[in-house]
Amino acid sequence: MPQRTLIRDATVVLPGETARTSVLIEGGRIARVDAAPHTRADEVVEAAGLHLLPGVIDDQVHFRDPGLTHKEDLRTGSRACAAGGVTSFLEMPNTVPQTVTVEALAAKLDRASRRCIVNYGFYIGATTENLDELVRATRTPGIKIFIGSSTGNMLVDDQECLEAIFAETTLPITAHCEDEATVRANAAALTPPLAIEDHSRIRDHRAAVTATLRAIDLAMRHRHRFHVLHVSTADEVAILAKQNDLITAEACPHHLFLDTSDYARLGTLAQMNPSLKTAHDRAALWRGLASGAIQILATDHAPHTLEEKRAPYPASPSGVPAVELFLPLMLNEVNRGRCTLQDLAGWMSDGPARIWDIVDKGRIEPGYDADLVLVDMAKERQVRNEDQHCMCGWTPWHGTRLQGWPVRTWVGGRTVFADGRVATEPRGRELVFDHPRGGYWATRD
Ligand code: DOR
């Protein structure tokens, strides 16, 4: 690795301001953000006309490794990250075996150290019986609870269990919020054969709102940090707008860019949990991001093979891949004037680092790790299934033209993506989480 790399004359998205300047990387960290253009370096990257952003941190991916590696593995998933400017990911526990013990967590971390192109962290999953593991766990961003069931059969909706988890653990908690009883009752009320449109009738607004309210109630009573995954409804945005710093939330690209009208075009490729909602909900999610009711973005990257997805509903699995297109989709929105690069740095880098207490990540600032992405805001390209690095090789955005693409990605000062090519060696490091007891969203200015 070059000891000193100078990224010369980029438009750099710094905390609170965007400035045309040069950034010096030394020993894997950002050494200076106002380096003189003639500073000596082993490598100089000419970046005039390009924008430099902090690398994206995606706090919700499913990389299927171990156990479901015909859909994705840590290598292919993290390569897709590198190509998309995602420099760190947090992965969910619904693998085989599930990440529900300290031992399984350590095994996954070990596996990742030999496979990941970008930085990694893994949630520990809650079950109805693993409270002692959740209490003991370290080296994790937090605890994931499936308050509603989804891929992988990890449901915990017994009130006594949930009370105990919120009362007796200290790690931040996050949850998949769709109310199981509502989902089951909705499904039972429909007469087969079902069509894909029924997915949004089964996993309806009420299912999402009921579970989100239930989780927020638990968090507030137990004074426990809680993060709402993949918000999908306008009503949840209204509820989140009234919360304090204890509660944070995220939105996903599929809920921001697709709605129930897309089933006609995409069929089961647009099936995910929580389900797609209406254009009205979609608009509310964008407003929630702008107002701060929703603080961050994440993909819920959940790959399944095309063959699996093509099964007739409801045999088809829920989930869509997204890590590689996450940043391009959002850069395209910046070009359209819907948001700014400063917004993206907050929603996709600094915000997730703050929510999960990730040490030295998420900002372009001296001392922070040199996890960076250089983007060309003028570059236009059509999304094609065949260009995707993820194993499943399809995307719901096939055929979409996007303007604004990553051209180079660094992880810890090393290039992992450039000239259209992704590194093959494992460059990623284990993320470090510094969870202050009782501290939360407000702890970093
Ligand atoms: O659509 C989804 N798929 N939602 C989830 O919560 C899980 C995911 C998966 O693992 O396939």
Side-chain angles (χ1 to χ4, degrees):
M1 158 170 79
Q3 260 312 296
R4 283 160 69 92
T5 299
L6 182 68
I7 304 170
R8 186 146 64 193
D9 202 16
T11 302
V12 185
V13 182
L14 302 165
E17 61 165 330
T18 298
R20 191 151 176 189
T21 187
S22 299
V23 172
L24 182 69
I25 301 171
E26 193 165 12
R29 290 185 178 252
I30 297 162
R32 302 192 58 163
V33 292
D34 58 350
H38 50 269
T39 302
R40 278 213 351 251
D42 309 304
E43 180 193 37
V44 176
V45 177
E46 299 295 351
L50 304 175
H51 287 76
L52 188 70
L53 285 101
V56 172
I57 300 172
D58 186 352
D59 86 347
Q60 194 191 170
V61 306
H62 301 266
F63 281 168
R64 315 299 193 198
D65 191 352
L68 299 162
T69 51
H70 66 289
K71 297 175 195 267
E72 189 80 284
D73 63 32
L74 286 165
R75 197 185 307 277
T76 54
S78 66
R79 292 190 84 220
C81 284
V86 176
T87 51
S88 297
F89 66 81
L90 302 181
E91 207 251 2
M92 287 297 166
N94 57 337
T95 45
V96 181
Q98 297 168 343
T99 324
V100 294
T101 62
V102 169
E103 198 188 342
L105 179 63
K108 224 183 208 187
L109 284 164
D110 179 52
R111 213 177 167 81
S113 70
R114 285 176 278 114
R115 287 173 168 73
C116 286
I117 315 299
V118 304
N119 305 312
Y120 48 87
F122 300 98
Y123 295 93
I124 184 157
T127 72
T128 49
E129 278 151 17
N130 73 340
L131 187 57
D132 52 332
E133 302 284 339
L134 304 181
V135 169
R136 262 188 334 120
T138 56
R139 299 173 72 191
T140 180
I143 297 165
K144 162 75 182 280
I145 312 177
F146 281 89
I147 291 182
S149 62
S150 189
T151 310
N153 237 336
M154 294 191 69
L155 179 67
V156 181
D157 82 337
D158 173 75
Q159 190 65 21
E160 215 174 297
C161 268
L162 290 170
E163 296 282 351
I165 295 168
F166 276 82
E168 290 172 41
T169 64
T170 56
L171 288 167
I173 296 178
T174 188
H176 180 114
C177 295
E178 286 183 294
D179 183 61
E180 191 65 15
T182 306
V183 169
R184 286 195 188 155
N186 288 341
L190 292 171
T191 313
L194 301 184
I196 180 58
E197 286 76 8
D198 292 321
H199 194 60
S200 294
R201 299 186 183 107
I202 294 170
R203 291 177 178 266
D204 66 354
H205 290 72
R206 201 155 60 86
V209 173
T210 305
T212 295
L213 278 173
R214 183 181 183 195
I216 290 176
D217 169 64
L218 281 156
M220 295 307 280
R221 281 190 292 104
H222 293 285
R223 304 287 311 149
H224 202 122
R225 285 170 71 178
F226 180 68
H227 181 70
V228 186
L229 296 169
H230 40 44
V231 176
S232 64
T233 68
D235 287 343
E236 287 168 288
V237 177
I239 292 162
L240 290 163
K242 295 189 210 127
Q243 305 305 318
N244 66 17
D245 291 344
L246 205 59
I247 311 295
T248 52
E250 73 189 34
C252 297
H254 43 262
H255 295 128
L256 289 168
F257 293 104
L258 305 173
D259 58 50
T260 46
S261 69
D262 290 295
Y263 283 137
R265 186 171 58 87
L266 293 169
T268 50
L269 295 187
Q271 179 187 336
M272 77 286 294
N273 305 333
S275 66
L276 290 180
K277 305 297 191 302
T278 65
H280 166 74
D281 295 294
R282 204 150 81 76
L285 295 181
W286 282 105
R287 282 197 301 275
L289 274 167
S291 72
I294 296 172
Q295 295 79 14
I296 65 166
L297 296 172
T299 61
D300 192 7
H301 176 92
H304 300 281
T305 66
L306 255 186
E307 198 186 345
E308 291 166 336
K309 287 295 274 186
R310 281 191 180 132
Y313 185 82
S316 46
S318 292
V320 292
V323 280
E324 189 164 348
L325 295 176
F326 188 25
L327 184 56
L329 283 164
M330 293 307 297
L331 294 175
N332 190 58
E333 291 307 300
V334 172
N335 273 323
R336 293 180 61 211
R338 189 173 340 221
C339 49
T340 65
L341 289 174
Q342 279 290 335
D343 289 332
L344 300 200
W347 297 339
M348 304 170 82
S349 302
D350 189 46
R354 287 167 66 179
I355 287 176
W356 299 108
D357 307 316
I358 307 174
V359 174
D360 293 342
K361 300 287 183 200
R363 289 180 176 206
I364 302 183
E365 203 169 279
Y368 275 68
D369 291 336
D371 296 344
L372 301 164
V373 55
L374 195 61
V375 306
D376 181 349
M377 292 302 287
K379 183 173 176 176
E380 243 187 287
R381 220 179 84 194
Q382 188 165 28
V383 175
R384 300 187 318 171
N385 286 341
E386 52 273 37
D387 295 335
Q388 304 307 301
H389 287 83
C390 63
M391 194 185 287
C392 68
W394 65 272
T395 161
W397 287 285
H398 173 74
T400 309
R401 273 203 94 71
L402 297 176
Q403 187 186 1
W405 287 86
V407 292
R408 186 161 180 151
T409 309
W410 288 265
V411 169
R414 291 172 192 247
T415 298
V416 292
F417 170 69
D419 305 321
R421 282 196 302 277
V422 184
T424 46
E425 278 129 68
R427 298 281 194 227
R429 293 255 174 90
E430 179 178 346
L431 293 168
V432 179
F433 307 97
D434 177 23
H435 295 307
R437 270 173 190 250
Y440 38 93
W441 176 248
T443 52
R444 203 160 108 177
D445 68 77

